[in-house]
């Protein structure tokens, strides 16, 4: 079992990630204020001190603690760490994403005592919460008038009164309110913030104060105990749970080739800039050969690399996703860029095993290396953010076995020759990722459109594609796009791409599901409905003896043998009409044709 301490945005993210496992866990909050839906989670309310949490963990066989509480919940952090150490079970700290402390706009204070010493303005707005009122009282003796912004709830107002506050200096936080509003109303000389991170609206408050030329003071977040494994996003949380409690998820996640290329590039740049082996602090101390990778959502994951001379190599781990590139070596080599264009600080090129683009439809021009836009942005951002090189750098990404592997991918069809693509949008691979498959469909449609064809033919896979290619011999290979099970999503993508003519090729097993309205025909989303098949058989004018035989069916394709030959055409038209009825509205400005494909490749039309 896992217990999560939440009540925060990070708590919500943790719930979303843990729910995917379909297994029970506990979700603990101090009060009942947070509204959250738990399907597999069990809600706990009320503060847990050390003895109570120790007893709970022993009684309920807790094997992992996840602290996703507020950064300033110091007592809870200490309690979770102490219990983890006492019971020798792992603990994860789900941190927020915080700005660097080198921000010259901000005067940093390690605690409230230092803030009282540092603050020297006539008026101050404190947004640090109702519990900080008594800690800031000494400012009044220094002649500073302090306004307090607190939550508009009964417990907060009661606490403020108990601390002897004059209600005339109280203002209330309202969710979603523009941070400029209260500052414009009061126009204080200074504002005091807590380092609450991105989800705490820290940057928004800083920006509003800066816009209005108000001095900014901030209380640094307390440091959490060293016992924690630290993550700052949902992807890192899942990867840590998979590592620390391997049996919680049935399938494990991985990282994209873009993430591993980024790790290799950062490692190579470290080596080139003589920072190899500097190490990064993880939960168990300093780890050599591990580099941080900042993902597109700004969270950081850690990736092992092996160093060479001005180079580094990362081994791709796709988790349990059936990815042909799992286990490949991705290498980066770094040198000084001798011919930079104006303002260019990092140039990325493809080496051995990286494909070259030969068709339109990509976010890079024909002839360039097949390294997609997001991985390129990740590499540049990580190197500039982490290493801040003083010279422009050339980075060559290589995959030694890329050309051989590319034959087992979509690349030849997409017009990418000579190797694999470096891809990835989120930087993370969820096992058997629906998102990843749909993204590949989108790219195939983009390439198909770029060929200039006004018709795209979508099909479920190699067998059906063979038959529809014979039906449309004049179309290039790029015009045929596999939808797998994602019929509805594929048609929507075609509509977004403004494809004027779309043909849907479908075999009977998927067609009977689609005819009933299942736009995703995966078996976990819907099974063959014998009652609906009987209805279609009746619509086709077949007798009761044919209807009765449906109960004996195991697979839909057996219908080809059960429907009388003289009724086959009528039955096919009924199936096609139902499929068309559900699919056509998804392509409102295009023309849709549905082809029902027989077992031997015969094509049935409406």
């Amino acid at each position: 079992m896992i217990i999560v301490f939440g009540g925060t945005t990070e708590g919500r993210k943790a719930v979303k990630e843990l729910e995917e496992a379909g297994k029970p866990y506990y979700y603990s909050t101090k009060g009942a204020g947070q509204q959250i839906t738990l399907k597999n989670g069990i809600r706990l309310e009320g503060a847990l001190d050390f003895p109570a949490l120790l007893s709970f963990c022993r009684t309920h066989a807790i094997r992992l603690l996840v602290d996703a509480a507020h950064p300033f919940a110091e007592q809870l952090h200490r309690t979770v760490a102490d219990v983890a150490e006492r019971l020798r079970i792992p603990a994860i700290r789900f941190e927020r994403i915080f700005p660097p402390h080198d921000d010259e706009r901000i005067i940093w204070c390690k605690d409230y005592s230092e803030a009282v010493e540092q603050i020297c303005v006539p008026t101050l707005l404190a947004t640090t919460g109702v519990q900080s009122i008594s800690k800031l009282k000494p400012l009044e003796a220094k002649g500073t008038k302090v306004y307090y912004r607190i939550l508009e709830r009964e417990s907060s107002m009661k606490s403020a009164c108990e601390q002897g506050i004059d209600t005339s200096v109280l203002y209330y936080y309202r969710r979603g309110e523009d941070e400029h509003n209260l500052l414009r109303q009061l126009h204080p000389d200074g504002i005091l913030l807590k380092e609450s991170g991105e989800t705490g609206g820290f940057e928004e408050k800083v920006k509003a104060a800066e816009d209005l030329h108000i001095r900014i003071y901030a209380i640094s977040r307390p440091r959490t105990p060293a016992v924690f494994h630290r993550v700052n996003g949902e992807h890192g949380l899942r990867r840590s749970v998979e590592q620390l409690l391997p049996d919680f998820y049935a399938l494990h996640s991985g990282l994209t080739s873009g993430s591993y290329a980024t790790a290799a590039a950062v490692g190579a740049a470290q080596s080139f800039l003589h920072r190899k082996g500097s190490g990064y602090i993880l939960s168990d101390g300093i780890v050599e050969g591990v580099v941080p990778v900042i993902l597109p959502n700004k969270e950081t994951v850690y990736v092992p690399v092996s160093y060479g001379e001005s180079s580094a190599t990362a081994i791709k781990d796709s988790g349990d996703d059936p990815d042909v590139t799992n286990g490949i070596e991705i290498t980066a080599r770094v040198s000084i860029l001798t011919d930079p264009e104006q303002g260019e600080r990092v140039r990325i090129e493809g080496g051995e095993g990286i494909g070259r683009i030969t068709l339109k439809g990509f976010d890079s021009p024909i002839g360039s290396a097949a390294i997609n836009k997001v991985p390129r942005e990740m590499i540049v951002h990580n190197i500039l953010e982490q290493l801040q090189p003083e010279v422009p750098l050339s980075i060559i990404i290589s995959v030694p076995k890329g050309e051989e592997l590319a034959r087992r991918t979509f690349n030849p069809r997409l017009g990418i020759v000579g190797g694999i693509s470096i891809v990835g949008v989120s930087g993370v691979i969820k096992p058997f990722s629906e998102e990843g498959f749909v993204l590949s469909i989108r790219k195939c449609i983009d390439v198909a459109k770029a060929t200039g064809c006004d018709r795209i033919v979508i099909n479920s896979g190699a067998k059906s594609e063979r038959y529809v290619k014979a039906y449309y011999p004049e179309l290039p290979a790029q015009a045929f796009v596999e939808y797998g099970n994602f019929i509805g999503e594929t048609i929507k993508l075609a509509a977004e791409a403004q494809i004027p003519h779309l043909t849907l090729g479908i075999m009977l097993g998927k067609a009977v599901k689609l005819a009933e309205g299942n736009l995703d025909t995966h078996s976990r989303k819907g099974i063959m409905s014998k009652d609906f098949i009987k209805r279609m058989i009746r619509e086709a004018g077949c007798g009761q003896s044919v209807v009765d035989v449906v109960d004996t069916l195991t697979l839909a394709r057996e219908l080809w043998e059960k429907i009388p030959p003289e009724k086959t055409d009528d039955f096919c038209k009924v199936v096609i009409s139902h499929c068309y009825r559900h699919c056509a509205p998804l392509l409102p400005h295009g023309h849709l044709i549905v082809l029902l494909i027989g077992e031997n490749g015969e094509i049935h039309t409406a």
Side-chain angles (χ1 to χ4, degrees):
M1 286 292 281
I2 297 175
I3 182 169
V4 180
F5 298 90
T8 56
T9 299
E10 291 67 40
R12 290 187 184 279
K13 291 179 179 179
V15 164
K16 182 177 181 294
E17 208 62 37
L18 295 180
E19 286 285 346
E20 290 187 8
K23 293 181 179 178
Y25 61 93
Y26 292 100
Y27 184 74
S28 174
T29 57
K30 185 176 181 180
Q34 186 180 40
Q35 300 298 312
I36 192 164
T37 300
L38 303 175
K39 294 181 180 178
N40 301 299
I42 302 164
R43 183 72 178 262
L44 304 173
E45 293 176 5
L48 292 170
D49 59 13
F50 176 80
L53 180 56
L54 188 69
S55 174
F56 184 89
C57 290
R58 284 172 169 163
T59 303
H60 296 85
I62 299 299
R63 295 170 57 199
L64 178 64
L65 302 163
V66 178
D67 179 359
H70 194 278
F72 283 79
E74 291 183 74
Q75 184 57 55
L76 176 60
H77 304 328
R78 182 72 262 166
T79 297
V80 173
D82 289 346
V83 169
E85 289 185 313
R86 173 70 68 87
L87 297 180
R88 296 183 179 179
I89 58 177
I92 297 171
R93 171 63 187 146
F94 192 156
E95 286 280 19
R96 297 178 177 181
I97 296 172
F98 297 101
H101 273 221
D102 58 2
D103 192 330
E104 296 180 355
R105 299 172 296 176
I106 302 170
I107 301 169
W108 289 98
C109 309
K110 68 179 181 180
D111 53 28
Y112 286 98
S113 296
E114 186 172 294
V116 169
E117 292 178 13
Q118 292 262 33
I119 292 170
C120 53
V121 291
T123 59
L124 178 80
L125 173 63
T127 66
T128 46
V130 70
Q131 300 301 328
S132 67
I133 290 176
S134 59
K135 299 172 185 177
L136 298 175
K137 279 284 188 179
L139 283 173
E140 296 176 8
K142 291 176 61 176
T144 297
K145 181 166 185 175
V146 184
Y147 300 98
Y148 299 93
R149 190 179 77 170
I150 65 174
L151 294 174
E152 191 175 14
R153 59 189 184 195
E154 188 176 343
S155 60
S156 296
M157 291 182 274
K158 181 181 178 182
S159 177
C161 292
E162 289 173 349
Q163 294 176 75
I165 199 72
D166 184 339
T167 56
S168 66
V169 297
L170 289 181
Y171 293 85
Y172 301 109
Y173 169 72
R174 293 175 175 84
R175 187 177 297 277
E177 183 180 18
D178 188 333
E179 291 292 346
H180 292 77
N181 291 347
L182 184 56
L183 291 177
R184 287 195 183 101
Q185 179 183 343
L186 297 175
H187 211 285
D189 301 287
I191 183 172
L192 178 63
L193 317 174
K194 287 195 297 190
E195 188 183 9
S196 56
E198 284 198 357
T199 57
F202 185 83
E203 279 294 334
E204 290 83 354
K205 297 184 186 77
V206 169
K207 179 66 167 58
E210 182 187 34
D211 290 345
L212 298 173
H213 308 290
I214 295 169
R215 187 173 297 181
I216 305 165
Y217 301 89
I219 307 290
S220 297
R221 70 188 188 277
R223 300 301 172 187
T224 50
V227 67
F228 285 109
H229 298 256
R230 289 175 179 79
V231 302
N232 65 350
E234 59 268 30
H235 300 313
L237 173 65
R238 173 158 181 159
R239 287 170 62 80
S240 289
V241 172
E242 290 169 352
Q243 176 190 0
L244 300 169
L245 209 62
D247 57 347
F248 187 74
Y249 288 99
L251 298 171
H252 287 191
S253 62
L255 296 176
T256 62
S257 56
S259 292
Y260 283 101
T262 301
V266 171
Q270 287 174 0
S271 178
F272 180 75
L273 298 171
H274 308 294
R275 296 178 62 173
K276 183 179 81 173
S278 58
Y280 289 87
I281 302 297
L282 298 183
S283 58
D284 53 350
I286 295 178
V287 176
E288 303 287 355
V290 173
V291 301
V293 172
I294 304 168
L295 299 177
N297 70 349
K298 299 184 183 180
E299 72 168 288
T300 301
V301 296
Y302 295 88
V303 181
V305 300
S306 57
Y307 293 99
E309 187 175 343
S310 300
S311 68
T313 297
I315 307 297
K316 185 180 179 186
D317 177 5
S318 302
D320 287 319
D321 196 66
D323 181 357
V324 298
T325 62
N326 185 46
I328 62 169
E329 292 185 356
I330 299 179
T331 296
R333 183 169 294 279
V334 175
S335 60
I336 292 177
L337 180 61
T338 56
D339 59 340
E341 298 179 2
Q342 185 174 3
E344 187 178 22
R345 299 176 65 187
V346 178
R347 180 180 297 173
I348 302 163
E349 298 179 285
E352 177 189 5
I354 299 296
R356 292 278 160 181
I357 297 169
T358 65
L359 295 175
K360 296 179 180 179
F362 291 88
D363 48 32
S364 296
I366 290 175
S368 61
I371 302 173
N372 285 8
K373 180 180 178 182
V374 172
R376 286 179 182 273
E377 291 174 344
M378 284 178 65
I379 293 170
V380 172
H381 174 72
N382 273 266
I383 286 177
L384 297 183
E385 180 79 10
Q386 295 189 47
L387 303 176
Q388 300 171 354
E390 297 179 358
V391 293
L393 298 179
S394 168
I395 299 174
I396 298 176
I397 305 295
S398 301
V399 177
K401 295 184 179 180
E403 186 170 3
E404 175 188 344
L405 282 171
R407 301 188 188 103
R408 297 158 58 191
T409 71
F410 279 128
N411 277 11
R413 173 177 301 186
L414 296 175
I416 296 173
V417 299
I420 69 163
S421 308
I422 300 297
V423 299
V425 175
S426 68
V428 173
I429 300 173
K430 289 290 184 71
F432 299 93
S433 168
E434 294 185 6
E435 177 189 9
F437 196 93
V438 171
L439 285 171
S440 71
I441 295 171
R442 182 188 293 275
K443 180 55 64 181
C444 288
I445 289 176
D446 289 343
V447 171
K449 182 179 180 180
T451 65
C453 293
D454 65 354
R455 180 176 299 281
I456 289 179
V457 183
I458 63 174
N459 55 88
S460 62
K463 184 177 180 180
S464 61
E465 182 170 305
R466 186 168 71 251
Y467 298 139
V468 291
K469 274 186 173 179
Y471 193 79
Y472 289 104
E474 73 282 5
L475 294 179
Q478 291 76 26
F480 298 87
V481 175
E482 290 185 16
Y483 56 70
N485 289 299
F486 302 103
I487 299 172
E489 288 297 326
T490 304
I491 297 173
K492 290 176 186 176
L493 291 173
E496 288 178 19
Q498 299 181 336
I499 303 301
H501 300 284
L502 185 72
T503 296
L504 164 63
I506 190 167
M507 300 189 80
L508 192 56
K510 293 182 184 297
V512 296
K513 294 181 181 180
L514 178 61
E516 194 180 8
N518 295 300
L519 294 168
D520 180 344
T521 57
H522 195 286
S523 57
R524 70 174 180 270
K525 297 293 181 68
I527 61 173
M528 175 180 68
S529 169
K530 292 183 178 180
D531 287 340
F532 188 76
I533 292 174
K534 291 177 181 178
R535 173 182 158 185
M536 290 193 292
I537 288 173
R538 291 190 182 98
E539 287 182 37
C542 296
Q544 188 62 38
S545 61
V546 182
V547 173
D548 292 341
V549 83
V550 172
D551 290 323
T552 68
L553 296 180
T554 302
L555 299 171
R557 64 169 179 257
E558 297 173 48
L559 282 167
W560 292 119
E561 301 174 359
K562 307 299 183 184
I563 302 291
E566 67 274 13
K567 288 294 183 182
T568 297
D569 191 52
D570 293 333
F571 176 69
C572 291
K573 283 180 166 53
V574 169
V575 175
I576 290 170
S577 68
H578 281 286
C579 291
Y580 182 87
R581 179 167 58 89
H582 294 296
C583 295
L586 305 180
L587 192 74
H589 303 297
H591 177 248
L592 176 68
I593 292 175
V594 178
L595 303 180
L596 182 59
I597 306 168
E599 284 298 288
N600 299 313
E602 60 275 18
I603 301 293
H604 302 272
T605 65

